[in-house]
Amino acid sequence: MPTRREALAWGTAAAATPWLAACAESPGAARISTSADRKPGQKIMLVFWTWVPLQKTVELWNSKNPDVQVELQIVPGGTNGGYQKMHASLKAGNPPDLAQVEYHELPSFMLVNGLTDLTRFGAEKLAPSYVDWQWQQGVFGGRVRTIPQASGPLGFYYRRDLFERWDVEVPTTWEAFEQAARDIRRRGGGARICSFPPANPNWFAGLVWQRGARWFRTEDDTWIVDIDGAESREVADYWDRLVRDDLVTLMPELQPGWYQAMQTGQLASWVGAQWGDALLRNNAPGTSGKWSVTSMPQWEPGALTAANWGGSSTAILQGTRHAVEAMEFAHWLNTDPESIDLLIASGYGWPAAKIDYRQTALGKPDPFFGGQRYNDVFAEADQHIDTSWKWSPTHDQSQAHLADAFGRVASGKGTFAEALEDCQDRVVDDLKAKGLKVRSAR
């Protein structure tokens, strides 16, 4: 078990990339052996907490593995209570065997030694089955702590019919995006190009990530915090201007009102993650055939840089009595071809397994997107993400500070750039309160 200081100093990165054939189909692929302690015919039950509707996937596993059954329990997603429940279970000593944990949350689980050391059970043999950067999300101090599942490369979803109707050029740069926003404001009868979601700093983090910012990095055992650096301020100033000039609306995304605005054409586009395809398809069905996807706008003409929003691992929590079987299920879940087909149908994100996405549903033309093979955009984006981005072990607190500060801006108090400056100091204090060595980049 790592020391507390080792756990705190490790940090993680975030980004994305495609997949290649599941190791279950490869003759020489690594398969985790059955626990030596398990007697032939002995049945065990694994408990799996997730917010993704994986019932069909779990049913498939259970039908093939009568001796190792999985009980799926749906918990609230993200910061809506699921992580609090996981941490409470760890503290109480009764955690589930497996849990879906987003990449940005892994450092906080390391903080409380909440992740099983899978290297003890040969997990490193599974690494070739996964995209390297996603595999590394769960490696701390050279020890494997979780099995990667999926990421969320960013792209630009836009209503092709509206852009054509209003004679607005699809922007390829952020400068052109601002011009398109002004054109839509003049010609769109009250519509806006998009919304800015003050309550979702993870979305904003993707924008500054693309610009080249690095909010956190480590030097030896010291955390360096740079939330209000030059790149982040440039992005904040940009959106301050769009909000000030009434070119975007302040509205939380992925909520009923937001989907309604998408349906009615009051919002014409969205800088969103690959996993947003299923959300648009399911919540704005009246817009089928009217959407297209392209790369997110660039800061430099002719360049191609992208970023990531979201991404999860299948974690084996500390305290499970069936670590080997849990790891075997996690590996099957994220690499088995049949499982992957079901994961795609549930909209789980951009896969961590190395498989040819063109041979799956992700590579097919989609009627909702006008017959476009839109995932080609995300596959390319996935190859142009700075994978050095790191998250801190106080991520939830950082996001809460940013959401509060952005909320004050949305109510007319200050600017997004000033909000970043305020959060910089608060995040430094949070890390110090955890007993970490930390310094501000300024």
Side-chain angles (χ1 to χ4, degrees):
M1 181 175 293
T3 66
R4 185 169 179 274
R5 180 163 295 279
E6 287 173 336
L8 290 172
W10 282 337
T12 52
T17 337
W19 9 334
L20 222 177
C23 78
E25 294 191 319
S26 302
R31 175 174 173 80
I32 305 167
S33 60
T34 305
S35 170
D37 295 332
R38 199 171 95 220
K39 298 177 182 178
Q42 179 184 356
K43 298 181 184 294
I44 66 170
M45 176 67 72
L46 302 174
V47 176
F48 179 25
W49 287 1
T50 178
W51 55 88
V52 178
L54 298 180
Q55 289 87 348
K56 291 183 179 180
T57 314
V58 169
E59 288 172 5
L60 176 63
W61 165 271
N62 287 341
S63 70
K64 295 184 174 185
N65 298 273
D67 292 341
V68 181
Q69 296 285 282
V70 175
E71 178 185 337
L72 184 72
Q73 296 183 7
I74 300 297
V75 298
T79 56
N80 294 322
Y83 291 130
Q84 292 91 322
K85 185 175 181 179
M86 292 177 199
H87 281 285
S89 72
L90 286 166
K91 188 174 182 180
N94 59 354
D97 300 279
L98 304 111
Q100 181 171 351
V101 179
E102 292 167 284
Y103 293 147
H104 59 241
E105 292 289 336
L106 291 174
S108 71
F109 278 80
M110 285 297 296
L111 190 68
V112 295
N113 294 321
L115 304 175
T116 300
D117 179 2
L118 302 178
T119 303
R120 295 168 50 204
F121 309 108
E124 69 280 0
K125 297 177 183 178
L126 305 179
S129 298
Y130 298 90
V131 172
D132 183 64
W133 85 262
Q134 290 200 60
W135 178 263
Q136 292 300 323
Q137 296 297 297
V139 177
F140 297 85
R143 310 294 289 183
V144 180
R145 297 284 174 169
T146 187
I147 302 297
Q149 183 172 95
S151 64
L154 285 167
F156 183 56
Y157 297 89
Y158 67 96
R159 285 281 300 273
R160 184 182 61 261
D161 61 322
L162 299 180
F163 275 73
E164 291 174 354
R165 181 190 308 170
W166 298 326
D167 192 27
V168 176
E169 186 175 349
V170 178
T172 58
T173 65
W174 286 110
E175 181 180 6
F177 183 93
E178 182 173 348
Q179 182 58 54
R182 296 186 186 280
D183 291 341
I184 290 173
R185 185 72 178 89
R186 287 195 304 269
R187 306 168 190 171
R192 302 291 188 279
I193 191 169
C194 70
S195 67
F196 182 96
N200 191 348
N202 280 326
W203 176 82
F204 183 80
L207 301 184
V208 301
W209 183 346
Q210 185 212 19
R211 188 64 186 111
R214 293 175 65 191
W215 279 358
F216 301 97
R217 65 181 190 274
T218 55
E219 293 180 2
D220 297 324
D221 62 348
T222 300
W223 285 86
I224 314 299
V225 180
D226 193 19
I227 290 176
D228 65 344
E231 297 87 355
S232 298
R233 284 177 170 272
E234 182 178 3
V235 176
D237 288 340
Y238 177 89
W239 288 95
D240 274 321
R241 183 169 63 253
L242 266 58
V243 170
R244 183 191 64 227
D245 293 351
D246 196 22
L247 302 179
V248 299
T249 183
L250 293 165
M251 179 188 296
E253 81 289 76
L254 310 180
Q255 300 295 321
W258 185 83
Y259 289 121
Q260 180 65 20
M262 289 293 192
Q263 288 256 61
T264 61
Q266 292 303 296
L267 293 177
S269 70
W270 179 42
V271 177
Q274 187 276 338
W275 44 258
D277 58 350
L279 297 176
L280 289 174
R281 191 181 295 110
N282 294 334
N283 292 281
T287 62
S288 181
K290 300 177 180 179
W291 289 92
S292 290
V293 183
T294 190
S295 301
M296 63 190 300
Q298 301 295 303
W299 287 98
E300 305 295 339
L304 180 56
T305 58
N308 188 71
W309 174 18
S312 296
S313 67
T314 308
I316 290 82
L317 298 187
Q318 188 73 260
T320 178
R321 293 181 299 163
H322 307 292
V324 171
E325 292 84 357
M327 184 168 62
E328 183 174 30
F329 167 73
H331 181 57
W332 173 90
L333 176 71
N334 296 307
T335 58
D336 179 83
E338 290 184 273
S339 175
I340 285 175
D341 284 344
L342 293 171
L343 292 174
I344 291 171
S346 69
Y348 81 126
W350 194 249
K354 289 181 179 176
I355 66 173
D356 182 359
Y357 78 94
R358 281 281 189 142
Q359 302 303 313
T360 73
L362 293 175
K364 298 177 181 178
D366 193 310
F368 187 85
F369 295 98
Q372 179 186 2
R373 294 181 185 271
Y374 68 98
N375 277 305
D376 290 350
V377 172
F378 293 108
E380 185 175 29
D382 202 43
Q383 300 290 335
H384 294 84
I385 296 173
D386 178 5
T387 59
S388 67
W389 177 275
K390 292 182 181 293
W391 299 106
S392 85
T394 58
H395 175 79
D396 288 349
Q397 292 168 279
S398 302
Q399 297 302 289
H401 294 322
L402 285 163
D404 288 346
F406 282 4
R408 290 192 294 272
V409 176
S411 65
K413 300 177 182 177
T415 67
F416 293 128
E418 291 169 344
L420 293 179
E421 183 177 359
D422 175 68
C423 290
Q424 168 81 13
D425 296 332
R426 294 178 184 275
V427 171
V428 168
D429 290 342
D430 289 339
L431 289 166
K432 287 181 178 178
K434 296 295 184 181
L436 291 173
K437 290 183 178 179
V438 57
R439 64 179 174 84
S440 178
R442 348 185 185 108

